[in-house]
Amino acid sequence: MSESKKPQSAKTYLADLATHVPTSSRRDFLKKGVKFSTGLAAATVAGEAISDNLPPNIPSWSKSLGTGVVSTPYGVPSKFEDDVIRRTVEWLTADKISSISMSPIQELKGIITPNGLVFERYHAGVPTVNPEEHRLMIHGLVDNPLIFTMDDLMRFPSESVINFLECPANGGMEWRGPQMEALQFTHGMISCCEWTGVRLSTLLAEVGVQTKGKWILAEGADGAGMSRSIPMDKALDDALVVYAQNGEKLRPEQGYPVRLFNPGWEGNTSIKWLRRLEIGDKPWHHREETSKYTDLMPDGRSRRFSYEQEANSVITSPCPENPWGQKGSYEIEGLAWSGRGKIKHVDVSIDGGVTWRPARLKGLVLSKALTRFSLPFKWDGAPGLLQSRAIDETGYVQPTLNQLRDVRGTNSIYHKNSIHTWQLQSNGKIKNVQLK
Amino acid sequence: MFSLNKLLITLTLTALVSLSSVAFAADDTHYGIGEKATAEQIAGWDIDVRPDGKGLPKGQGSVMQGEAMYEAKCASCHGLFGEGEGRWPPLAGGEDSLTEDRPDKTVGSYWPYASTLWDYINRAMPFPAPQSLTVTEVYAITAYVLYLNDLVEDDFVLTQTNLASIKMPNEQNFYIDNRPDTNNTRCMKNCKDPSKIVVIQSLRGITPDQETETAPESSEAKPNLSEATIAGKATYDTSCFVCHGSGIAGAPKIGDKEVWGKRLGAGMDTVVKHAINGYVGDNGVMPPKGGNLTLSDEDVKNAVHYMVEAQ
């Protein structure tokens, strides 16, 4: 008769359970009771760490089920990471349509910038381009002017590269003096992704560039019709026409469905929403290479076609957003990059550039890519002036701000790649300063 | 013709080869992908203009014609005299300021070529309605902006043939990038005198608050808004926000109940009509449909509702 007993005992068992308050809520109840009765005392203890989720207790998430697959068909970061976002400096531009936002590089690890955090810069907002109706036209001094669909472009052999993308105005707010108490605002106009697309040289071979063809006008399909003149040498060297970043299709902010990508060059030459490439014998001198993106020198003359992003570096930890706490062991960490090739060395100073120690380059060290450097450090609580100095494979040594200003004055806006100084205070806080 | 034939032959050969053997790619340089761009397709998209005038379409426009057009379509942002309203860029002034502490870089003081002005206005302005101007308008408005910069006289007529001959004052002052222009060395010890280090602190109060931001108020549809209002939000964001978001140049600000209350005294119909057809009021110029003539009357009406009702 065991069969008849079984349901009975299960019933009894369940009934028995129902009279029990589950342990976790009983503990909650007890804790609340304590809080209510002796508010002050409990608050101080709770401030220390009374949590049901800390050892020796078993955390609540270990005793329940989580959400199932595809509850978020396209995954998003943990809700606890909701302050890791792009930010803008409102007063920089007249409106948000032609504006810029910065990547939270103070929070990022490794060298790859997640797609949703890549800095944004556009001159007429993000257009909504239908890939089915988007076309890339290549014409001008060519034998066979051609028009490509997105499917066409993806039939060509693809290549993937890991390269940084940087706005030449990165740091440009600080030519005259330190302004921003945040790494995101001093250096955040940079990101680094794996970019996938077809070599521009492949497409050029397809249309057959005539010998007189020395320049290429690249033009976007956005409301700014963003346009830049690109020399043929770059096009044949390493320029790509890319449709994917970090494994997925480009984000709309990054030029979906297709953009030009010029490794190591100022970001705005990498025309987004690319619709047209015209081959010509001379540059076009359009607005974005005359009125803007030219560098005014103290003598009133200006540099044009200043394409390369020279070697640069910055300490990302500590920084104003990542201060130190108590004395002890820390890792001074940061990012270095050069538009002319690989980073060869990064040196770190804690005394404002009097003495320097070589840092270790860690992880991948790739040409024209963000490169991590690291220097373990025992902090005794003394204040300091932290700096990093990058040297690239051409032997170029990142300049001091004074060296840059001596040549360029303070009105050139773009290409400020000088050694950056963080002031470490004895409370572990970091301030943005400059040295005279 | 010749090149097209060659292309066809390549294509045929490719097909034959891949049928008869296991070939992975035709040859290294030609894939035979893409279609021929027709002369008509190219003409539609080939809008760029060069300093030598290459790319300019047939046409002309005078300073006289340009004045009214500029005042209707450009002045609300760039100012009646090109001085720039509020934060919008100035288009004139700043002569001889390039070596000053605060240089004023404008079309007249900085731009090396007049063709750039024609090209840019044609491709990107007016800001809310790019590529909406006729050829005559672009010539006339370009002439007028040159006039505002004292580069041409008031009886000047800009044409396809004379644009390249206009000399801009700053043309000779550009040169090709000559970096690297510094040569720091990799000094490791005693690199400077520590007693001479002066620390400059940052200005206070200009770093934006980095608390997690919520979406901007003005462009959030509120649940108690009418349907027209909700439909109008998208139009507002793309075509009206640039002026009505900040109240630039006397544009009534979105959600400013008092100002809109007064204006609605004239009746919603009149206010909407003004938005559709444009008008010159006491405060400034409201361009027809905010400059974006691709909008339907309905779109504009909805956008007006949104501006009036939004909080």
Side-chain angles (χ1 to χ4, degrees), chain B residues 219-237:
Chain B
S219 53
E220 274 307 300
K222 293 274 166 16
N224 60 342
L225 299 179
S226 70
E227 253 170 58
T229 295
I230 292 161
K233 179 184 179 309
T235 304
Y236 168 80
D237 281 348

Side-chain angles (χ1 to χ4, degrees), chain B residues 39-76:
Chain B
E40 198 191 352
Q41 285 174 322
I42 295 172
W45 276 18
D46 185 4
I47 57 170
D48 55 88
V49 174
R50 273 190 347 192
D52 57 9
K54 185 174 172 290
L56 280 171
K58 269 206 189 73
Q60 61 174 54
S62 66
V63 172
M64 297 290 214
Q65 283 171 297
E67 180 170 14
M69 295 169 182
Y70 176 88
E71 284 176 9
K73 297 194 169 182
C74 323
S76 52

Side-chain angles (χ1 to χ4, degrees), chain A residues 270-303:
Chain A
S270 291
I271 301 290
K272 297 187 277 192
W273 314 288
L274 185 69
R275 73 160 193 165
R276 195 164 69 92
L277 294 166
E278 179 175 350
I279 315 321
D281 58 350
K282 290 181 204 157
W284 278 259
H285 298 287
H286 278 178
R287 188 247 185 176
E288 310 297 341
E289 49 202 15
T290 54
S291 170
K292 306 291 173 221
Y293 305 101
T294 48
D295 311 350
L296 177 61
M297 296 292 126
D299 65 359
R301 300 192 310 140
S302 299
R303 284 188 186 137

Side-chain angles (χ1 to χ4, degrees), chain A residues 58-133:
Chain A
I58 310 281
S60 58
W61 47 84
S62 307
K63 297 191 293 184
S64 57
L65 297 179
T67 48
V69 294
V70 296
S71 51
T72 315
Y74 192 102
V76 293
S78 157
K79 67 175 181 178
F80 299 103
E81 298 298 318
D82 66 353
D83 62 339
V84 183
I85 52 172
R86 298 187 279 225
R87 291 183 173 85
T88 184
V89 176
E90 303 262 354
W91 52 260
L92 267 185
T93 52
D95 72 348
K96 284 193 173 172
I97 292 170
S98 175
S99 194
I100 186 146
S101 72
M102 292 83 167
S103 291
I105 55 171
Q106 72 280 6
E107 298 283 355
L108 301 183
K109 307 296 174 197
I111 61 169
I112 297 291
T113 312
N115 288 339
L117 296 175
V118 173
F119 79 94
E120 307 160 276
R121 172 65 172 128
Y122 16 87
H123 293 249
V126 183
T128 306
V129 179
N130 178 347
E132 306 254 301
E133 293 176 350

